[in-house]
Amino acid sequence: QVQLVESGGGLVQAGGSLRLSCAVSGRTFSNYAMGWFRQAPGKEREFVADIMWYGGRADYADSVKGRFIISRDNAKITLFLQMNSLKPEDTAVYYCAAVPYLGSSRLEPNYWGQGTQVTVSS
């Protein structure tokens, strides 16, 4: 029902910046957030950040607080992740996802994009 397409990944030196985008098509619900997750080879996929569609409330993993900023354009139905002060440990495939909430609890994402590679060199 919902399709997500990420873009904006690439190769950057440590300390640099990248901006990821996620184009969203289809339908969503008022209790959904849009979020970013990442996965490095051999590691589990981890939460990075998400933002509520309507309220704009944002949440971040501790590892990226102060460096990454999540935002969205509701009119264009597009999600962004501005990544600053990148570190080699940020290297991963970044995935856009639709994240349902039950009350204040984040549930498992049920729609995923194909991912975009971010590589940070030292």
Side-chain angles (χ1 to χ4, degrees):
Q1 181 178 340
V2 177
Q3 294 185 346
L4 312 172
V5 180
E6 303 96 333
S7 62
L11 175 64
V12 65
Q13 289 187 310
S17 298
L18 284 174
R19 192 189 195 199
L20 307 183
S21 298
C22 174
V24 183
S25 63
R27 303 286 183 87
T28 187
F29 301 97
S30 62
N31 63 335
Y32 265 64
M34 296 299 301
W36 292 96
F37 295 73
R38 66 187 183 186
Q39 186 170 24
K43 295 185 178 181
E44 294 184 352
R45 189 171 298 183
E46 64 177 351
F47 169 79
V48 177
D50 65 5
I51 186 167
M52 300 302 296
W53 270 120
Y54 297 101
R57 179 188 178 96
D59 194 22
Y60 297 88
D62 288 342
S63 60
V64 306
K65 282 183 178 178
R67 299 190 298 120
F68 291 9
I69 302 171
I70 189 170
S71 62
R72 86 277 193 248
D73 185 333
N74 282 352
K76 296 181 179 180
I77 318 179
T78 304
L79 180 72
F80 304 97
L81 184 68
Q82 179 66 47
M83 304 186 295
N84 301 315
S85 301
L86 283 162
K87 305 174 181 179
E89 51 263 44
D90 294 317
T91 295
V93 177
Y94 283 70
Y95 296 91
C96 178
V99 185
Y101 272 73
L102 181 60
S104 61
S105 299
R106 182 186 299 111
L107 305 182
E108 286 294 317
N110 49 14
Y111 296 97
W112 295 92
Q114 84 287 353
T116 185
Q117 177 71 47
V118 172
T119 303
V120 184
S121 64
S122 59

